[in-house]
Amino acid sequence: MPEPRTVATHCPYCALQCGTRLTRERAGVVVTPTDFPVNQGGLCQKGWTAPSLLDTPERLTHPLVRRDGTLTPSDWDTALNTIASALHRIRDQHGPDAVGVFGGGGLTNEKAYLLGKFARLALGTSQIDYNGRFCMSSAAAAGNAAFGLDRGLPFPVTDLADAEVVLLAGANPAETMPPLMQHLTGPDLIVIDPRRTPTAETAALHLQPAPGTDLALALGLLHIAVVDGWIDHDYIRDRTHGFDHAWQQAMSWWPERVERTTGVPVGDQRAAVRMLAHATRAYLLTGRGTEQHSNGTDTTAGFINLALALGLPGRHGRGYGCLTGQGNGQGGREHGQKADQLPGYRMITDPDARRHIAELWGVAPDTLPGPGRSAYELLDSLGTDHGPRALLVFGSNPAVSAPNAGHITSRLAGLDLLVVADFVPSETARMADIVLPVTQWAEEDGTMTNLEGRLLRRRRLQNPPGHARSDLDILHALARRLGQPGHRYPTSPRDVFDELRRASAGGRSDYSGITYERLDAGEALHWPCPHTDHPGTPRLFLDGFAHPDQRARFAPVEHHDSTDHPGAEFPLLATTGRVLAQYQSGAQTRRIPELTSAAGETFVEIHPDTAERAGLTDGAQAVVTSEHGEVVAQVRLVPSMRTDTVFLPFHFPDEGRANLLTNPALDPTSRMPEFKVAAARIAPAEREVPA
Ligand code: SF4
């Protein structure tokens, strides 16, 4: 295909989806930030260096097939025929659920949609889920319950700039999405985070709870709001249900009890509520810190309760939102790659939803499989008597990003067939029987949905190297080999999107009025957008919430201790998170020299007193051990750390994988694992050598 010299597109990484222009120069591809509203001419270090990914020396350019234990270059027919015949054999022997599919929150909307369709129709399996289960599922569950709809930010990012106060609970945008901070220079920030992060450094008030106690803090803040007379009675009466039950749960969370449980001083609790309540224009935003717990849905709901009590959601100049993480974290959870969903954010158990999608796909509703296992449960079942024998992975690296990663790696190794579609040899790809090289961001067209629910066009600048193919081509080719009619699996992103629009029509996330033509004409379109002359919906809930009676719901949530308790054997709390220079599992960003020189290996942040007690000094190698595994990491002494907590970033591979430590206990509603709390101990590496 002819290659344009320059295109307007978006950064390949996080959900802010900063606007960029890519230009092919003699020396290579050059990126420049555009004046797109979310980034307004800014980019972070990851965005500036993203073109290096296009010609990384480790780029996959040929299919690889494992022969005699070694991944060996092959051709497409051989690779696809080998996969298809193995899938036929496994399905014949063990049934359709013996094949699993694992997707990703970075896939375009078109890929996510076609992957779900491929799984349900071509494979006939219920066993599909994706890595977004590890990111946003608790906020999604809490948002759906409270508002009847889950869209990360129900307002544009630019609204934040006019706020007087913004409370950030468990979010660190100064590192995860730095250009967002331009919108947060005006408001006074209240930051809730166990670490004094770069975001917390900019805050007017930093509350530093012990990991795993966020819900106790949320209940305590609601308690203060009620007792000190800050709640919005008219809003609660006119726009909500369930306040009394929520208050009954918060009633016993006196500030002093909250201080004892969380470590946050009473004065700081009161100051936070007072700041939020005094402001005419105030926002409350949550992030992974509130979500990644075995009670993450309730924890997020606890903060939504506070926002509702103060009358924030669904009003001009005020609001509640959740900061989405992965590039297409929003769209990725709407189009059917989740175990319990069909496109349009429809539930797979809903008979009307099944009828709508089955009719569009030209099949009988009862041929669609039911709900499958959630991400961790799917990975944990691999290769067992009751789980899939084969797994197809698209756009994910669970060997690094899944909790209890040592166990999950052994599950992956026990499969009869592991196929990974990726453009770099991730840790999961290196384990595969067959690796399929795919296009990446600047080599493909498609759409992404950013953290505001705004649809964005990803545009192709250049053709992929070697024999790399788009994921859509691969799904089409595999489906045909599995006996499906080719027309069911379009290879053109525009054709897939047009089908996705019809699939979403009437669903919670209705894209039916959004077209490539409207996006290419520069229209700012946020879903829902139910017809082609609809302007989209940048601000949700102003006239009412999405429940039938238009009222939001308080949730009667109660705090429980984390399933992982510190004790004599594991006296510390290990928590995990992100750093500025790396993205997710690091499969992409660890190949960029500027980023690896900024953050190239794992480390553990620890308070100097805790380190001294453990016999550790700054720069020493330490072994951090939990019930689930152990990690070798370089010690960083950080005086602002809590003395009971250590922190590790999760981007790094091998023996530095922070997820070797993490706890796979799952939230009962969202099935989100407990990434943020693991009871742990730390010792010098020379004294405690890892297994
Ligand atoms: Fe923007 Fe996120 Fe890309 Fe950084 S990683 S440039 S914040 S989209």
Side-chain angles (χ1 to χ4, degrees):
M1 273 194 280
E3 296 178 326
R5 184 165 170 267
T6 181
V7 292
T9 187
H10 296 268
C11 174
Y13 300 120
C14 83
L16 198 59
Q17 285 293 291
C18 293
T20 59
R21 175 160 289 281
L22 299 180
T23 307
R24 272 183 302 110
E25 304 283 3
R26 204 179 287 263
V29 173
V30 174
V31 64
T32 43
T34 61
D35 204 23
F36 195 69
V38 298
N39 58 308
Q40 297 181 348
L43 287 181
C44 77
Q45 193 180 14
K46 297 187 285 286
W48 280 111
T49 56
S52 302
L53 260 184
L54 295 168
D55 49 13
T56 177
E58 292 181 277
R59 181 68 195 271
L60 296 172
T61 56
H62 285 77
L64 302 172
V65 176
R66 192 171 294 280
R67 292 198 181 91
D68 299 327
T70 305
L71 282 170
T72 311
S74 184
D75 60 84
W76 276 103
D77 274 343
T78 303
L80 294 170
N81 290 340
T82 307
I83 296 169
S85 68
L87 294 178
H88 274 302
R89 189 180 63 249
I90 290 167
R91 286 197 311 167
D92 287 348
Q93 286 176 1
H94 304 283
D97 276 358
V99 179
V101 176
F102 201 82
L107 299 177
T108 61
N109 290 317
E110 292 79 358
K111 294 180 191 180
Y113 171 82
L114 206 66
L115 190 63
K117 183 178 181 183
F118 172 84
R120 269 86 183 215
L121 290 194
L123 297 173
T125 182
S126 66
Q127 300 300 300
I128 173 170
D129 210 50
Y130 81 127
N131 65 14
R133 183 75 67 178
F134 299 155
C135 273
M136 282 291 300
S137 53
S138 290
N144 277 321
F147 308 121
L149 195 70
D150 154 44
R151 198 180 89 187
L153 294 185
F155 47 80
V157 155
T158 43
D159 284 7
L160 296 170
D162 294 327
E164 295 157 50
V165 174
V166 175
L167 185 151
L168 289 161
N172 179 18
E175 289 199 90
T176 55
M177 44 181 69
L180 181 74
M181 295 302 285
Q182 314 171 67
H183 306 286
L184 297 175
T185 54
D188 285 336
L189 295 186
I190 305 165
V191 172
I192 298 176
D193 199 306
R195 299 167 61 220
R196 192 157 180 83
T197 61
T199 308
E201 288 286 351
T202 70
L205 181 62
H206 175 204
L207 312 186
Q208 202 167 1
T213 65
D214 312 60
L215 180 50
L217 181 58
L219 287 161
L221 297 180
L222 177 60
H223 181 108
I224 290 171
V226 175
V227 170
D228 290 3
W230 296 116
I231 61 173
D232 187 332
H233 292 278
D234 292 345
Y235 176 97
I236 292 169
R237 183 194 63 226
D238 296 340
R239 299 200 58 185
T240 71
H241 278 310
F243 170 75
D244 289 346
H245 286 119
W247 165 234
Q248 276 166 18
Q249 298 296 343
M251 202 181 285
S252 62
W253 284 96
W254 296 95
E256 294 74 14
R257 180 185 175 198
V258 173
E259 177 173 328
R260 207 166 54 241
T261 304
T262 67
V264 176
V266 170
D268 287 352
Q269 296 172 44
R270 286 197 195 288
V273 178
R274 197 167 49 239
M275 282 171 69
L276 264 183
H278 264 182
T280 308
R281 296 182 305 282
Y283 290 83
L284 194 162
L285 305 178
T286 56
R288 303 298 81 71
T290 57
E291 284 194 73
Q292 291 180 323
H293 297 284
S294 57
N295 65 348
T297 303
D298 282 358
T299 303
T300 308
F303 283 99
I304 292 175
N305 284 349
L306 175 65
L308 288 171
L310 296 173
L312 303 185
R315 296 172 84 174
H316 282 291
R318 329 191 87 197
Y320 162 80
C322 176
L323 295 172
T324 310
Q326 293 191 75
N328 199 24
Q330 183 66 49
R333 66 181 188 262
E334 297 167 356
H335 306 303
Q337 62 172 332
K338 268 181 98 173
D340 49 359
Q341 276 182 12
L342 291 172
Y345 219 135
R346 292 180 157 90
M347 299 313 293
I348 202 165
T349 47
D350 174 2
D352 289 339
R354 295 172 67 85
R355 256 193 305 279
H356 173 82
I357 296 299
E359 188 177 332
L360 181 74
W361 288 353
V363 299
D366 58 5
T367 61
L368 296 178
R373 293 180 175 90
S374 72
Y376 182 78
E377 291 162 300
L378 173 59
L379 295 170
D380 185 33
S381 72
L382 296 176
T384 64
D385 289 344
H386 54 281
R389 314 288 319 166
L391 186 72
L392 312 183
V393 179
F394 284 77
S396 190
N397 186 16
V400 174
S401 62
N404 201 10
H407 172 68
I408 292 305
T409 304
S410 65
R411 289 287 196 236
L412 290 166
L415 285 165
D416 295 347
L417 176 71
L418 176 61
V419 178
V420 176
D422 209 326
F423 55 88
V424 288
S426 70
E427 286 66 27
T428 311
R430 289 200 184 116
M431 298 179 65
D433 301 293
I434 298 179
V435 179
L436 304 176
V438 293
T439 51
Q440 59 168 312
W441 116 102
E443 300 157 359
E444 60 190 22
D445 279 293
T447 59
M448 306 282 275
T449 306
N450 79 353
L451 76 173
E452 316 162 297
R454 177 172 172 175
L455 269 285
L456 308 172
R457 278 278 278 120
R458 171 177 279 194
R459 295 188 179 88
R460 184 184 63 87
L461 176 75
Q462 60 187 34
N463 296 323
H467 297 272
R469 281 191 187 179
S470 86
D471 309 62
L472 302 183
D473 281 341
I474 292 169
L475 294 172
H476 173 92
L478 274 177
R480 291 198 59 186
R481 284 167 171 79
L482 293 170
Q484 289 280 303
H487 66 82
R488 270 196 188 148
Y489 303 89
T491 55
S492 146
R494 184 185 295 254
D495 291 346
V496 177
F497 188 75
D498 282 341
E499 185 180 311
L500 178 162
R501 291 171 51 213
R502 295 199 299 280
S504 75
R508 278 183 183 167
S509 59
D510 190 332
Y511 285 40
S512 54
I514 300 172
T515 63
Y516 272 33
E517 288 75 19
R518 293 185 74 183
L519 294 172
D520 288 343
E523 286 192 70
L525 296 171
H526 303 68
W527 69 258
C529 182
H531 45 84
T532 49
D533 52 4
H534 189 283
T537 315
R539 292 175 188 83
L540 287 166
F541 311 140
L542 294 178
D543 299 324
F545 296 100
H547 288 298
D549 60 5
Q550 302 197 327
R551 289 167 177 262
R553 282 13 179 197
F554 282 90
V557 291
E558 176 55 301
H559 171 75
H560 299 287
D561 285 338
S562 161
T563 52
D564 243 13
H565 297 290
E569 192 181 356
F570 300 114
L572 299 171
L573 293 163
T575 190
T576 64
R578 295 152 172 80
V579 298
L580 173 64
Q582 297 291 340
Y583 176 68
Q584 298 297 103
S585 79
Q588 299 165 61
T589 46
R590 280 187 272 112
R591 296 172 208 285
I592 295 179
E594 293 91 332
L595 300 181
T596 49
S597 65
E601 63 182 40
T602 200
F603 57 85
V604 54
E605 289 186 357
I606 183 171
H607 190 279
D609 293 350
T610 315
E612 190 180 348
R613 278 199 299 280
L616 292 163
T617 53
D618 199 35
Q621 289 293 110
V623 178
V624 187
T625 308
S626 79
E627 188 190 322
H628 313 285
E630 51 196 21
V631 173
V632 180
Q634 190 177 55
V635 172
R636 283 192 188 170
L637 299 186
V638 178
S640 62
M641 285 294 288
R642 292 177 57 100
T643 52
D644 58 2
T645 302
V646 296
F647 165 80
L648 299 100
F650 80 96
H651 315 286
F652 301 100
D654 305 327
E655 63 182 11
R657 276 180 292 172
N659 276 319
L660 291 168
L661 299 175
T662 47
N663 179 0
L666 301 180
D667 180 281
T669 306
S670 68
R671 316 308 285 166
M672 164 92 81
E674 180 128 85
F675 289 102
K676 293 297 187 194
V677 192
R681 66 171 180 263
I682 189 166
E686 60 272 21
R687 280 220 309 267
E688 186 162 342
V689 177

